[in-house]
């Protein structure tokens, strides 16, 4: 059994290994980790990390949300396609989720590793504290790794590496 503690400090409970393995398989097929950096006048900018999974079956996303926290919301409907939903976990909940699925992920192990590495840079920071140059550089490197993991095609890879 695995335990999982979310960002808000609420114990999300223990759950069977089978659920963690199922969530890992679901993440392998439908999920990704995103790292974002918004330009701000503050040193280092505003950074974020999310785990996102998309599906047209809301029920399975609601089950995952019930165990791991986060949010489920409708995506913009595309004419002629089924309604799709996103299950999103922000930093603290994303960390617990990624730790729970890490032993079982096959395809997107890189996403899990980059996500956990990035989230570790968010810990023990006061909101009023600036990033030092080493912290900024590490976050920039993890942002690039995340982008490279999600590149499709050779032309796009060249643009990311440029």
């Amino acid at each position: 059994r695995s335990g999982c503690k979310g960002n808000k400090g609420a114990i999300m409970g223990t759950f069977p290994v089978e659920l963690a393995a199922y969530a890992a398989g679901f993440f392998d097929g439908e999920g990704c980790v995103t790292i974002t950096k918004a330009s701000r006048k503050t040193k280092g900018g505003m950074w974020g990390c999310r785990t996102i999974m998309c599906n047209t079956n809301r029920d399975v996303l609601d089950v995952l949300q019930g165990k791991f926290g986060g949010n489920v919301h409708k995506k913009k409907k595309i004419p002629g396609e089924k309604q799709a939903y996103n299950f999103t976990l922000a930093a603290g909940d994303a960390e617990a989720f990624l730790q729970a699925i890490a032993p079982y992920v096959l395809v997107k192990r890189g996403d899990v590793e980059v996500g956990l590495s990035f989230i570790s840079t968010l810990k023990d920071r006061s909101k009023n504290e600036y990033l030092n140059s080493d912290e900024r550089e590490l976050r920039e490197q993890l942002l690039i790794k995340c982008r490279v993991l999600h590149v499709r095609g050779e032309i796009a890879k060249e643009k990311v590496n440029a």
Side-chain angles (χ1 to χ4, degrees), residues 23 54 72 113:
C54 180
V72 176
E113 291 169 356

Short mmCIF file of all heavy atoms in Angstrom, two decimals, residues 23 54 72 113:
data_model
loop_
_atom_site.label_atom_id
_atom_site.label_comp_id
_atom_site.label_asym_id
_atom_site.label_seq_id
_atom_site.Cartn_x
_atom_site.Cartn_y
_atom_site.Cartn_z
N ALA A 23 -2.82 4.07 -12.12
CA ALA A 23 -2.60 5.51 -12.34
C ALA A 23 -1.34 5.73 -13.17
O ALA A 23 -1.31 6.61 -14.04
CB ALA A 23 -2.51 6.24 -11.00
N CYS A 54 -5.51 13.95 -19.60
CA CYS A 54 -6.72 14.30 -20.34
C CYS A 54 -7.43 13.01 -20.78
O CYS A 54 -6.78 12.05 -21.17
CB CYS A 54 -6.35 15.14 -21.55
SG CYS A 54 -7.79 15.64 -22.54
N VAL A 72 -10.51 18.46 -11.61
CA VAL A 72 -10.98 17.96 -12.91
C VAL A 72 -11.84 19.06 -13.51
O VAL A 72 -12.72 19.59 -12.83
CB VAL A 72 -11.80 16.65 -12.77
CG1 VAL A 72 -12.36 16.22 -14.12
CG2 VAL A 72 -10.95 15.54 -12.16
N GLU A 113 10.74 11.97 -13.41
CA GLU A 113 12.02 12.39 -12.84
C GLU A 113 12.20 13.90 -12.91
O GLU A 113 12.61 14.54 -11.92
CB GLU A 113 13.17 11.68 -13.55
CG GLU A 113 13.22 10.19 -13.23
CD GLU A 113 14.18 9.41 -14.11
OE1 GLU A 113 14.78 9.99 -15.05
OE2 GLU A 113 14.31 8.19 -13.88
#
